[in-house]
Amino acid sequence: MPKQTLSVLPQQFVIHSLDADADIPASVLASPLFFLGKTSDELSIVVPSDIPVRSLESDPQWRALELLGPLHLSMVGIMAQIGAVLAEAKVAIFVVSTFETDFFLVKDKKLKAATEALRKNGYTVND
């Protein structure tokens, strides 16, 4: 089976941490792309860097590699294989998923190393 294709999204992203009981800001809900994660301890929000969010902590300058899908939920090992390639290249990742695909966020300063490692390992990466 051929390896997957990833596409580099053009914008930078910020990962925010808010109190678990915080409301989701309207600016986030109006954004064309966002990711939410909530536990009893925190609310995490990932948004493009131009979306204003008042948060307890934030980590800016992330870039997203979208795994082009749709992927079926029964597919096994794709995230682990890509994660292993990036780990070997010493690229930290923050992964978010939807029903049909995964997004691998890497720091902007590591984007080149990430795309080079993926291409070297047989993945197609669209810039």
Side-chain angles (χ1 to χ4, degrees), residues 60-76:
Q61 299 178 339
W62 290 85
R63 296 293 300 277
L65 296 158
E66 178 181 2
L67 185 56
L68 299 183
L71 304 174
H72 300 284
L73 294 176
S74 62
M75 296 176 82
V76 176

Side-chain angles (χ1 to χ4, degrees), residues 38-53:
K38 183 173 170 54
T39 68
S40 60
D41 296 323
E42 70 162 323
L43 170 64
S44 291
I45 299 174
V46 179
V47 289
S49 60
D50 62 342
I51 304 299
V53 176

Side-chain angles (χ1 to χ4, degrees), residues 1 4 6 65 67 71-87 91 93-105 118 123:
M1 179 170 122
Q4 292 75 30
L6 297 100
L65 296 158
L67 185 56
L71 304 174
H72 300 284
L73 294 176
S74 62
M75 296 176 82
V76 176
I78 293 171
M79 193 181 306
Q81 291 168 356
I82 292 171
V85 168
L86 296 174
V91 176
I93 60 174
F94 186 94
V95 180
V96 290
S97 298
T98 68
F99 191 85
E100 293 188 342
T101 194
D102 301 310
F103 293 80
F104 293 81
L105 280 78
L118 289 164
Y123 292 91

Side-chain angles (χ1 to χ4, degrees), residues 3 33 36 79:
K3 293 193 176 177
L33 181 62
L36 303 172
M79 193 181 306

